[in-house]
């Protein structure tokens, strides 16, 4: 082959290696996306529009936790709905086993395994969601997503076995800052993520997957004692047994129904002692039952199938009448939506890297203007995150210059670059809110105007979430103006 000289062969080899390197880089950065996170924690500035801060983080440093709690209350204009939170994590429980699928209830055997929980749902005393979890569907990254509202990368799978303390902004740190006392019983992953944060804890290891009994008894044995105490504000219970049942025998294991029944007894015990018969000195309690991920038919998890990502979020003890929603089939949220929802319910700033959107029905107890305020706070936090990820994004004219008369005529169709669209969608929502708020008499405050503002806020929040560089690489199309304006709630 006379045409293949030594120098040509060298060039071909170098080109081949270069192409391989490019391919490998595309694979690595695609499969393990580098997630830029904002350092630090949200503070009093969360209650101000971005770039118009009059309150800086410095004021926070001098404040006693109780003063900080009062400051948040004053700035948000929304009193916290609850005093205490119980988060019950049932590891590996697919939401389908409790809520059914496609509007159909679960099988008779599953319904009968959880009579108390099913009666709460049927009577409108609980509201349940399929909380779509992002892959990888393993415990540590999913717990992080629930408490921070941020999506981790696939690199977290490797870290799952060597868990480090969580440094990014999250609900537990926010609660700690306002002086909350916290107790953790169950999976020791919590202790590794949040060392030194709990006043009492009893961690169990997830290493012995053959153990489906002791691992949960270690949690429940403290329950009666803890429910009678009034020295904590946040109780975490993390039951590992159901995940272990799955690993041994899959979803249809003979051990599954008895395990669900055991979990139902825990829900019943908490509901009866802390929500129905709450003692005055303990304050009002909210019980949130969640799962970190689901499982396949054979009981495995880690991937992105429906069975594995179908996790549960069940809210028990809400103040508002939720009977209308109990039979709703629109009960799909994202797992990250739990973080902003709990932050606003308990009066702390939404964690900095959150991409979740607050769950509308949960805030039904608030007055109309307060519901808009909650959406505004969620939007400000997401705008701040977007500004950090897209340095050119300021929306400054709209955020800082305020709004003038004839606001509704300024509603525009949103198009153009991602940045322009975010600003435009946010501005539309803020204009509609401002317009509704400025109408002095309640008679002129029409329900349609209110609905338009709510719809516009959700349009911004959902677009900001799905267009997140860290969430999805495919930016969605700008919604059509008529979709924004039409009152669809
Ligand atoms: Zn798990």
């Amino acid at each position: 082959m006379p045409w293949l000289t030594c120098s040509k062969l060298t060039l071909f080899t170098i080109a081949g290696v270069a192409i391989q390197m490019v391919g490998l880089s595309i694979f690595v950065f695609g499969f393990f996306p580098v997630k830029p996170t904002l350092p630090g924690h949200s503070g009093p500035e969360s209650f101000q529009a971005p770039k118009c801060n009059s309150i800086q983080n410095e004021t926070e440093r001098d404040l006693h936790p109780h003063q900080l709690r009062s400051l948040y209350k004053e700035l948000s204009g929304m009193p916290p709905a609850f005093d205490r939170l119980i988060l019950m994590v049932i590891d590996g429980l697919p939401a389908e086993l409790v809520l059914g699928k496609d509007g159909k209830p679960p099988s008779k055997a599953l319904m009968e395994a959880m009579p108390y929980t099913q009666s709460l749902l049927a009577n409108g005393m609980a509201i349940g969601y399929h909380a779509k979890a992002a892959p990888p569907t393993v415990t540590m990254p999913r717990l992080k997503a629930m408490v921070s509202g941020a999506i981790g990368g696939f690199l977290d799978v490797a870290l799952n076995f060597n868990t480090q303390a969580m440094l990014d902004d999250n609900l537990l740190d926010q609660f700690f800052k306002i002086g909350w006392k916290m107790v953790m019983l169950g999976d020791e992953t919590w202790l590794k993520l949040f060392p030194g944060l709990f006043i009492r804890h009893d961690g169990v290891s997830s290493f012995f997957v053959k153990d489906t009994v002791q691992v949960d008894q270690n949690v429940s044995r403290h329950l009666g004692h803890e429910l009678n105490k009034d020295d904590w504000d946040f109780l975490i219970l993390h039951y590992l047994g159901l995940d272990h049942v799955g690993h041994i025998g899959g979803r249809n294991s003979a051990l599954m129904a008895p395990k669900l029944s055991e979990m139902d007894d825990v829900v019943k015990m908490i509901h009866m002692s802390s929500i129905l018969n709450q003692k005055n000195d303990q304050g009002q309690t909210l019980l949130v039952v969640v799962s970190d991920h689901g499982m396949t038919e054979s009981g495995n998890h880690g991937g992105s199938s429906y069975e594995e990502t179908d996790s549960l979020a069940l809210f028990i003890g809400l103040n508002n009448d939720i009977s209308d929603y109990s039979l709703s089939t629109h009960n799909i949220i994202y797992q990250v939506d739990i973080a902003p929802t709990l932050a606003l319910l308990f009066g702390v700033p939404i964690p900095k890297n959150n991409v979740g959107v607050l769950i509308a029905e949960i805030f039904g107890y608030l007055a109309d203007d307060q519901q808009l305020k909650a959406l505004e706070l969620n939007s400000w936090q997401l705008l701040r995150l977007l500004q950090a990820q897209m340095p050119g994004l300021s929306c400054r004219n709209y955020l800082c210059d305020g709004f003038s008369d004839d606001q509704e005529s300024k509603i525009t169709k949103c198009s153009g670059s991602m940045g322009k669209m975010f600003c435009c969608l946010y501005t539309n929502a803020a204009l509609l809110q401002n317009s509704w708020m400025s109408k002095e008499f309640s008679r002129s405050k029409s329900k349609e105007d209110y609905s338009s503002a709510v719809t516009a806020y959700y349009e911004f929040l959902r677009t900001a979430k799905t267009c997140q560089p860290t969430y999805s690489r495919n930016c969605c199309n700008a919604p059509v103006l008529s979709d924004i304006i039409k009152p669809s709630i």
Side-chain angles (χ1 to χ4, degrees):
M1 288 189 288
W3 60 273
L4 189 64
T5 59
C6 196
S7 56
K8 272 187 181 168
L9 184 65
T10 312
L11 277 175
F12 277 129
T13 312
I14 292 172
V17 170
I19 291 168
Q20 276 202 339
M21 296 294 282
V22 170
L24 189 68
S25 316
I26 292 172
F27 169 75
V28 168
F29 286 107
F31 202 65
F32 301 119
V34 181
K35 190 170 95 63
T37 55
L38 293 178
H41 293 80
S42 298
E45 80 288 348
S46 315
F47 302 97
Q48 302 276 319
K51 296 275 183 194
C52 297
N53 301 351
S54 54
I55 302 166
Q56 299 300 322
N57 269 340
E58 281 76 62
T59 50
E60 192 187 326
R61 252 178 250 154
D62 312 313
L63 292 176
H64 187 272
H66 290 96
Q67 288 173 310
L68 191 61
R69 192 188 294 202
S70 309
L71 177 67
Y72 288 159
K73 198 169 155 183
E74 191 186 316
L75 291 173
S76 74
M78 290 187 294
F82 299 94
D83 306 291
R84 304 209 305 173
L85 172 62
I86 301 177
L87 182 70
M88 177 182 174
V89 184
I90 306 177
D91 206 291
L93 173 65
E96 194 182 337
L97 301 194
V98 182
L99 304 173
K101 191 182 175 186
D102 301 330
K104 293 190 197 88
S107 69
K108 192 162 172 275
L110 290 171
M111 293 284 281
E112 285 170 358
M114 302 192 87
Y116 198 81
T117 308
Q118 292 299 345
S119 76
L120 290 176
L121 281 165
N123 297 329
M125 294 167 82
I127 182 162
Y129 295 94
H130 295 264
K132 197 169 159 41
T137 44
V138 290
T139 302
M140 189 272 284
R142 303 287 44 89
L143 295 184
K144 280 183 166 180
M146 268 189 269
V147 299
S148 69
I151 308 263
F154 254 89
L155 217 53
D156 275 343
V157 180
L159 296 174
N160 191 49
F161 300 105
N162 183 26
T163 310
Q164 306 281 321
M166 186 167 187
L167 300 174
D168 295 338
D169 196 1
N170 63 80
L171 287 177
L172 275 82
D173 285 346
Q174 290 290 348
F175 289 147
F176 188 74
K177 276 168 176 272
I178 60 164
W180 268 29
K181 302 282 184 289
M182 297 179 257
V183 175
M184 200 295 299
L185 308 169
D187 187 354
E188 62 186 8
T189 305
W190 288 96
L191 303 178
K192 291 176 183 164
L193 284 173
F194 305 103
L197 228 56
F198 300 103
I199 56 164
R200 280 189 299 283
H201 57 80
D202 188 3
V204 296
S205 170
S206 58
F207 193 69
F208 305 103
V209 287
K210 290 268 184 277
D211 171 21
T212 64
V213 179
Q214 200 63 45
V215 76
D216 286 347
Q217 275 178 3
N218 274 347
V219 180
S220 293
R221 66 186 169 137
H222 302 287
L223 195 54
H225 173 69
E226 290 295 345
L227 293 179
N228 279 322
K229 290 190 87 85
D230 58 7
D231 66 345
W232 54 261
D233 306 278
F234 187 14
L235 172 64
I236 298 172
L237 310 165
H238 190 139
Y239 287 96
L240 286 163
L242 193 135
D243 182 69
H244 293 185
V245 166
H247 284 301
I248 295 169
R251 282 194 186 203
N252 299 316
S253 163
L255 298 172
M256 189 56 87
K259 184 50 81 182
L260 285 172
S261 175
E262 186 186 335
M263 296 296 102
D264 192 54
D265 287 343
V266 175
V267 171
K268 181 178 180 180
M269 184 174 174
I270 297 171
H271 187 248
M272 292 184 81
S273 74
S274 294
I275 296 174
L276 292 181
N277 299 314
Q278 56 190 327
K279 299 169 188 77
N280 288 337
D281 50 353
Q282 289 183 335
Q284 194 157 6
T285 306
L286 176 70
L287 168 62
V288 183
V289 183
V290 295
S291 59
D292 49 350
H293 49 78
M295 62 171 75
T296 60
E297 285 300 316
S298 55
N300 294 321
H301 58 87
S304 56
S305 70
Y306 171 79
E307 286 76 19
E308 291 160 281
T309 56
D310 179 34
S311 74
L312 176 74
L314 191 63
F315 293 78
I316 302 172
L318 292 169
N319 302 330
N320 43 320
D321 181 17
I322 47 175
S323 49
D324 291 350
Y325 304 110
S326 60
L327 300 173
S328 166
T329 51
H330 301 291
N331 55 356
I332 299 166
I333 59 165
Y334 287 90
Q335 193 172 44
V336 285
D337 298 340
I338 295 169
T341 302
L342 291 180
L344 291 172
L345 278 180
F346 287 92
V348 292
I350 298 171
K352 266 192 174 177
N353 293 293
N354 164 67
V355 295
V357 174
L358 57 87
I359 308 166
E361 300 87 46
I362 307 289
F363 293 89
Y365 73 96
L366 288 173
D368 286 354
D369 57 335
Q370 288 181 324
Q371 288 191 43
L372 284 176
K373 181 75 193 168
L375 287 167
E376 187 178 45
L377 290 174
N378 198 174
S379 302
W380 286 345
Q381 175 270 323
L382 261 170
L383 265 181
R384 279 196 171 85
L385 182 63
L386 289 169
Q387 283 175 341
Q389 292 164 339
M390 305 167 70
L393 185 79
S394 75
C395 310
R396 197 169 172 81
N397 295 343
Y398 315 112
L399 284 169
C400 300
D401 298 348
F403 300 103
S404 53
D405 296 336
D406 194 21
Q407 292 153 347
E408 279 171 77
S409 66
K410 290 188 183 161
I411 305 286
T412 49
K413 183 177 173 170
C414 298
S415 59
S417 68
M418 237 206 246
K420 271 190 184 156
M421 208 170 70
F422 290 141
C423 285
C424 171
L425 288 174
Y426 168 74
T427 310
N428 281 348
L431 282 169
L432 287 164
Q433 178 190 13
N434 225 46
S435 157
W436 181 81
M437 297 284 280
S438 64
K439 287 178 183 156
E440 277 179 37
F441 302 106
S442 56
R443 250 180 301 153
S444 60
K445 286 190 181 207
S446 76
K447 199 72 194 161
E448 284 74 30
D449 290 349
Y450 173 72
S451 299
S452 300
V454 171
T455 309
Y457 265 121
Y458 272 108
E459 210 68 62
F460 164 73
L461 289 166
R462 290 192 185 118
T463 308
K465 174 191 203 159
T466 48
C467 296
Q468 270 287 304
T470 54
Y471 198 86
S472 160
R473 280 166 198 278
N474 305 318
C475 189
C476 41
N477 296 321
V480 183
L481 180 68
S482 57
D483 289 341
I484 298 174
I485 304 302
K486 88 175 169 214
S488 64
I489 59 163

